[in-house]
Amino acid sequence: MYNRKDFQRAASVIQSRSSLRPTIGLVLGSGLGKLADELLARVVIPYTDIPLWPVSTVEGHTGNLVIGELEGQVVAVQQGRAHFYEGYTMAEVTFPIRVMKELGIHTLLLTNAAGGVNTSYQVGDLMLLEDHINLPGMAGANPLMGPNDEALGLRFVGMSQAYDRRLRQRALEVAREHDIPLHSGVYFGLSGPFFETPAEIRMIRALGGDAVGMSTVNEVLVARHADMRVMACSGITNQTIDAVDTDMETNHEEVLEAGEIIVPRLITILKGLLSNFPI
Ligand code: HPA
């Protein structure tokens, strides 16, 4: 468990490296870190320079906090994130979100790579999270377990409006303007690191999941606990496999490859959003 002083100490190290004061935070998932190259006047802070900040061990996660300007907004961008399956605790996985809150960030834009469960989704499509199902979280593996610090947020957090409606509406408008395939759907959050069995994919579909992934929901819980506005967008990197006796197998390489199509689309959506702030 961390306390507020830990978050503040990390925030003050970050603030000593840049005079910019970000109000919008971005988290870039697997293979999506290139988006940070778009920032102007950027300062790159390796995660290893920030006290207690978790470092991802996964390929495709660069491991820098980048502060700079994008479309006239000062943003802090996480180039890569730590995951529960890497062995980090829930408190460690969500530590950066708490630090972002201490930096003065009020709006969080999260991205991730996800498998398509909805059969109408194609590789390279984007899916805006309109809701999620947090299976490990419902079973007790979530970052809000344990004593609650009222200075950080409420004991019981409502989740019926986790994904900000106005941000989603604007993202959909930007996608329409640029002919980008952007679905709205339900993200099914799992711990990983294994990809799902065909029976699990059929279960996820039956339960209402449109895309499946191994991140994001814990960060969303903590961000909502901290009363931040949240938007999250999945890049569909692969079709999930829902039948046995196939020669196909999901792998991390295809996840990273699809990032090539997804990154420019995500950049367009995020820039379109930022250029319209405040939304
Ligand atoms: N399953 C879980 N997580 C993922 C997938 C998947 O198929 N693709 C990218 N992240």
Side-chain angles (χ1 to χ4, degrees):
M1 285 295 289
Y2 299 117
N3 61 44
R4 186 139 190 226
K5 288 229 156 41
D6 297 319
F7 311 133
Q8 286 169 337
R9 193 156 52 95
S12 69
V13 168
I14 294 163
Q15 284 171 336
S16 72
R17 301 281 283 266
S18 168
S19 57
L20 292 175
R21 293 292 173 257
T23 55
I24 299 168
L26 274 73
V27 180
L28 305 180
S30 294
L32 308 177
K34 276 206 238 52
L35 210 145
D37 299 343
E38 301 280 313
L39 266 59
L40 302 176
R42 63 177 179 272
V43 174
V44 178
I45 309 170
Y47 290 163
T48 47
D49 289 2
I50 311 171
L52 300 174
W53 195 285
V55 179
S56 177
T57 58
V58 182
E59 194 196 337
H61 288 260
T62 315
N64 295 314
L65 183 70
V66 186
I67 298 183
E69 287 182 15
L70 196 55
E71 298 294 318
Q73 303 297 325
V74 180
V75 297
V77 180
Q78 288 184 47
Q79 240 178 350
R81 58 153 69 86
H83 306 81
F84 192 50
Y85 64 73
E86 294 177 74
Y88 287 111
T89 63
M90 288 290 176
E92 287 170 320
V93 166
T94 54
F95 179 83
I97 306 301
R98 295 270 186 225
V99 176
M100 283 191 155
K101 176 73 180 184
E102 294 296 339
L103 288 172
I105 286 169
H106 53 62
T107 301
L108 191 63
L109 311 175
L110 300 145
T111 67
N112 60 55
V117 175
N118 186 317
T119 51
S120 73
Y121 292 3
Q122 309 286 322
V123 170
D125 287 359
L126 302 182
M127 186 196 85
L128 212 48
L129 278 67
E130 61 178 20
D131 204 348
H132 72 226
I133 297 173
N134 179 5
L135 200 66
M138 291 167 82
N142 76 71
L144 301 181
M145 299 286 286
N148 186 58
D149 181 350
E150 290 285 329
L152 299 178
L154 299 174
R155 168 76 288 182
F156 298 104
V157 188
M159 276 291 149
S160 55
Q161 298 175 50
Y163 299 95
D164 189 273
R165 197 183 321 155
R166 273 185 295 149
L167 292 175
R168 283 190 284 120
Q169 278 167 353
R170 184 65 199 126
L172 289 167
E173 283 164 18
V174 176
R176 221 172 294 129
E177 281 159 22
H178 292 88
D179 270 332
I180 293 172
L182 177 64
H183 308 281
S184 292
V186 175
Y187 179 88
F188 203 98
L190 292 173
S191 69
F194 50 84
F195 290 113
E196 301 71 32
T197 66
E200 286 165 346
I201 292 301
R202 296 195 303 272
M203 178 198 82
I204 291 166
R205 188 176 292 139
L207 292 180
D210 295 298
V212 59
M214 308 174 191
S215 67
T216 305
V217 291
N218 296 309
E219 291 146 295
V220 172
L221 289 181
V222 167
R224 293 301 297 148
H225 183 252
D227 201 24
M228 297 160 99
R229 287 177 81 193
V230 172
M231 192 191 89
C233 189
S234 293
I236 304 299
T237 54
N238 56 286
Q239 299 279 13
T240 56
I241 299 160
D242 62 6
V244 291
D245 298 334
T246 159
D247 292 332
M248 293 191 297
E249 188 66 278
T250 305
N251 61 70
H252 191 53
E253 285 65 42
E254 68 178 325
V255 170
L256 294 181
E257 268 168 38
E260 307 280 325
I261 326 172
I262 291 165
V263 165
R265 291 177 169 176
L266 264 178
I267 290 176
T268 304
I269 304 258
L270 292 171
K271 279 186 163 178
L273 266 178
L274 292 171
S275 65
N276 275 277
F277 262 77
I279 295 172

